[in-house]
Amino acid sequence: MVEMTVELPSDLGAEKTEALIAAERKYAQELQREGKWRHLWRVTGRFANVSIFDAESHDALHETLTRLPLWPYLKINVTPLSKHPSSID
Amino acid sequence: MVEMTVELPSDLGAEKTEALIAAERKYAQELQREGKWRHLWRVTGRFANVSIFDAESHDALHETLTRLPLWPYLKINVTPLSKHPSSID
Amino acid sequence: MVEMTVELPSDLGAEKTEALIAAERKYAQELQREGKWRHLWRVTGRFANVSIFDAESHDALHETLTRLPLWPYLKINVTPLSKHPSSID
Amino acid sequence: MVEMTVELPSDLGAEKTEALIAAERKYAQELQREGKWRHLWRVTGRFANVSIFDAESHDALHETLTRLPLWPYLKINVTPLSKHPSSID
Amino acid sequence: MVEMTVELPSDLGAEKTEALIAAERKYAQELQREGKWRHLWRVTGRFANVSIFDAESHDALHETLTRLPLWPYLKINVTPLSKHPSSID
Amino acid sequence: MVEMTVELPSDLGAEKTEALIAAERKYAQELQREGKWRHLWRVTGRFANVSIFDAESHDALHETLTRLPLWPYLKINVTPLSKHPSSID
Amino acid sequence: MVEMTVELPSDLGAEKTEALIAAERKYAQELQREGKWRHLWRVTGRFANVSIFDAESHDALHETLTRLPLWPYLKINVTPLSKHPSSID
Amino acid sequence: MVEMTVELPSDLGAEKTEALIAAERKYAQELQREGKWRHLWRVTGRFANVSIFDAESHDALHETLTRLPLWPYLKINVTPLSKHPSSID
Amino acid sequence: MVEMTVELPSDLGAEKTEALIAAERKYAQELQREGKWRHLWRVTGRFANVSIFDAESHDALHETLTRLPLWPYLKINVTPLSKHPSSID
Amino acid sequence: MVEMTVELPSDLGAEKTEALIAAERKYAQELQREGKWRHLWRVTGRFANVSIFDAESHDALHETLTRLPLWPYLKINVTPLSKHPSSID
């Protein structure tokens, strides 16, 4: 599980902000289509998300995250998850 | 998102513990088959899980959680999630 | 329950600040008249409030909150509440 | 705003627990009918509530809270609230 | 009990800072003479104070605090206190 | 400023509890009459107090606190206070 | 990185404690020889360790940890690590 | 710097408690005379101390601490200190 | 015990920074020679120190600390210490 | 164990940032070759690392850390580690 909070600097400007968010969206949807970004939810009331990634390794996950267009403005927390014995997936 | 941590009292006894966990598993799998408990992951290294529920209301979610056999021993934190504009689901 | 803390940047200027707060008030009172923003209290001694919203879904609540004129300057925490069995409402 | 979390000792016994909760409910409903306990909500997923009291003074509020049947088992946090300038109440 | 911590912006300037602190002192002493600001102590080693106010209501306390000249630069925490049964006052 | 929270063990028994609280009250009132325990307030909604002591030294304060009948059950936090330049005392 | 803190119940008894620690040591040394438990350090002044594991997956790591003889008494925190670009390993 | 907080179990008994504290005192004074335990202060209002140790290594410090008679009941935090460039020692 | 962390603004400039640190050092060494600043250690890996002051009163300590050249840039925490019964000093 | 988090000011500029990181890498690799910086891992999803240093003393470690080119922008936490009795190293 990857939890990301976006903290944009106040002097970024509307144009650059929109461009960044558009680029982020495009990259996020590519990763979802490739099956690497399995789930993506908005945290209600916050400029933040909760995500589930499917990565081959921690190295691969780190590389994916650092390529996010919003990477310089993200506070990220990674919680490793495993299969739950009661899960029917 | 529902985060649950199990804290069993040390004097519960092996038999009662096993019975509780078996009942919990059965109920968890029923809720998963009904589509109410959408995802269930183990937090690596902890007797805890991260779950996604699909409930009609907070009342319905609370009722579902209080019926968990392990309810008296669970520390639960609920974080409300919404659809993310970049999600392709 | 939605807890909001306002953190205005120090260089916002008095005029823009007043305009924002006036717009916030107008929108807040509309939502109260529509019954969506059920309760609104000031936290004593802070530029913060405690609110109760009545929303159809987390998606609807998130959309409502992001439309607040002060949204870019709000730290928001949402705690899901349910009916209490001892409540006479 | 009064936030209460119930922490019952594990050796309290089912009978005493039920009696306590019944007494708590009766007293909570009396206070609600008298208009002193204005709102009472369950925190979703927890044995806890969020409440709004209308008390003449901190002394009166403290006396009311210490008379709760569950008082010895409650962790209580009181946050003072005031009228919000945008509230239409 | 009201705990206040002062956080002045680094670009406020010596003159404005002195004027603010002088105005704060004048207002604080007026409130003390009127008996509304009962006690005022400096937290040793910090630009902060611990205060006891005697207010008719939370609304009155909030209005008093927002009129402090340093209000925009104060982090305030209010803890409601009551008469202690062992107090001889 | 001394903040004390009382945490009595659940198996202390009503009689011993009452005796301890009575002894605490007697000692607290003696110290107040001697001018050592200057102020004593109940924290609203908690089995806790906020106190102001006037002690010659940290050694003297520590000795006074360890003689409190409830000492073994107290969680204590001491915050050193000084005279505030705006205080009229 | 896996951080483990041991919290043994006070009524475990010296014999059972020694047996558990001996079993833990044996298992820890096996895992080290197999190259799965790469590093193991004591946190100075605590009954705790900092460890580096080399696991194929989060599932494999979780299974390894739950087989630790001290598992029921361990508070575990897992922080995912990756290769650092400046590392010469 | 080593910060120690003592948490004795409530069922330890007065005799065993006194014996432990006497043994702790004897050992603490030996270490002080040998110059290994450089400073020892009581935290005012708490059953806790702040200490400065002079140890050859972390291994030596850990061994010293585990030999403290109160070791099983101590919560310990070690903060590494160095020579300060402004110190005249 | 006084714990100080230095947080210099990023736009302070190398010259002013050096002047401040030199002034701080001079003042710190004077206070050490006078016996008021008893001990001064660097926290390893941080721009911070742990200090022991010997002051006649909290007022005197506060006055000493506010005269530190770095005072506007210090985060300070004061923990009151007393003589420990096992100390041989 | 040394945990470092990098917090670069937003106005540092790409050129200076790259030069700093290159210098950091060169110095980090020298220290690794000398055996002083034993291990270096990236914290997955963060601009942070977990490191193991082998230093003769806290003074030597502090000197090493303050020479890091990124030192002014590092938040550092040092946790002292010792040999673990179950380690086979």
Side-chain angles (χ1 to χ4, degrees), chain J residues 47-62:
Chain J
F47 195 5
N49 71 63
V50 169
S51 293
I52 304 293
F53 281 83
D54 190 358
E56 282 183 26
S57 66
H58 290 162
D59 288 358
L61 176 58
H62 187 74

Side-chain angles (χ1 to χ4, degrees), chain I residues 7 10 42-47, chain J residues 58 61-62 65 71 76-78:
Chain I
E7 294 187 356
S10 59
R42 170 66 76 216
V43 181
T44 306
R46 295 195 180 173
F47 195 5
Chain J
H58 290 162
L61 176 58
H62 187 74
L65 294 174
W71 165 256
I76 291 184
N77 193 58
V78 182

Side-chain angles (χ1 to χ4, degrees), chain E residues 39 41 44 50 84 86, chain F residues 1-5 24-25 27-41 49-69 71 74-83, chain H residues 44-45, chain I residues 58-59 80:
Chain E
H39 300 287
W41 296 281
T44 306
V50 169
H84 192 287
S86 302
Chain F
M1 176 171 61
V2 180
E3 293 167 289
M4 308 182 201
T5 301
E24 182 85 5
R25 181 161 305 171
Y27 183 54
Q29 294 185 339
E30 278 173 25
L31 289 169
Q32 288 176 79
R33 283 191 207 98
E34 293 171 14
K36 291 180 181 167
W37 195 329
R38 298 284 296 270
H39 300 288
L40 169 58
W41 296 281
N49 71 63
V50 169
S51 293
I52 304 293
F53 281 83
D54 190 358
E56 283 182 25
S57 65
H58 290 161
D59 289 359
L61 176 59
H62 188 72
E63 195 179 318
T64 297
L65 293 173
T66 57
R67 286 181 181 168
L68 290 171
W71 165 256
L74 295 175
K75 299 286 170 197
I76 291 184
N77 194 57
V78 182
T79 304
L81 301 179
S82 323
K83 183 168 172 51
Chain H
T44 307
Chain I
H58 291 161
D59 288 359

Side-chain angles (χ1 to χ4, degrees), chain G residues 1-6 32 37-44 46-53 65 74-79 81, chain J residues 1-3 39 41 50-52 77-87 89:
Chain G
M1 176 171 60
V2 180
E3 294 167 288
M4 308 182 202
T5 301
V6 188
Q32 288 175 80
W37 194 330
R38 299 283 296 271
H39 300 286
L40 169 59
W41 296 281
R42 169 67 74 216
V43 181
T44 308
R46 295 196 182 173
F47 194 6
N49 71 63
V50 169
S51 292
I52 304 293
F53 280 83
L65 294 173
L74 294 175
K75 300 286 170 198
I76 291 184
N77 193 58
V78 181
T79 303
L81 301 178
Chain J
M1 176 172 58
V2 180
E3 294 166 289
H39 300 287
W41 296 280
V50 169
S51 293
I52 304 293
N77 193 58
V78 182
T79 304
L81 302 179
S82 323
K83 183 169 170 51
H84 193 287
S86 301
S87 171
D89 286 343

Side-chain angles (χ1 to χ4, degrees), chain G residues 84, chain J residues 2-6 37 40-43 47-51:
Chain G
H84 193 286
Chain J
V2 180
E3 294 166 289
M4 309 182 201
T5 301
V6 189
W37 195 328
L40 168 59
W41 296 280
R42 170 66 76 214
V43 181
F47 195 5
N49 71 63
V50 169
S51 293

Side-chain angles (χ1 to χ4, degrees), chain A residues 18 29 34 51 88:
Chain A
E18 280 174 37
Q29 294 184 340
E34 293 170 14
S51 293
I88 62 172

Side-chain angles (χ1 to χ4, degrees), chain B residues 56-73:
Chain B
E56 283 183 25
S57 65
H58 292 160
D59 288 359
L61 175 59
H62 187 72
E63 195 179 317
T64 298
L65 294 173
T66 57
R67 284 181 182 168
L68 291 170
L70 286 171
W71 165 256
Y73 312 117

Side-chain angles (χ1 to χ4, degrees), chain A residues 62 66, chain G residues 83-89, chain J residues 4 6 8 16-34 37 40-42 46-49 51 53 64 67-71 74:
Chain A
H62 188 73
T66 58
Chain G
K83 182 167 171 53
H84 193 286
S86 301
S87 171
I88 62 173
D89 285 343
Chain J
M4 309 182 201
V6 189
L8 297 178
K16 195 169 177 194
T17 300
E18 279 175 36
L20 269 174
I21 290 179
E24 181 85 5
R25 182 162 305 172
K26 191 180 161 198
Y27 181 54
Q29 294 184 340
E30 277 173 25
L31 289 169
Q32 288 174 79
R33 281 190 209 98
E34 294 171 14
W37 195 328
L40 168 59
W41 296 280
R42 170 66 76 214
R46 295 196 181 172
F47 195 5
N49 71 63
S51 293
F53 281 83
T64 298
R67 285 180 181 168
L68 290 170
L70 286 171
W71 165 256
L74 294 175

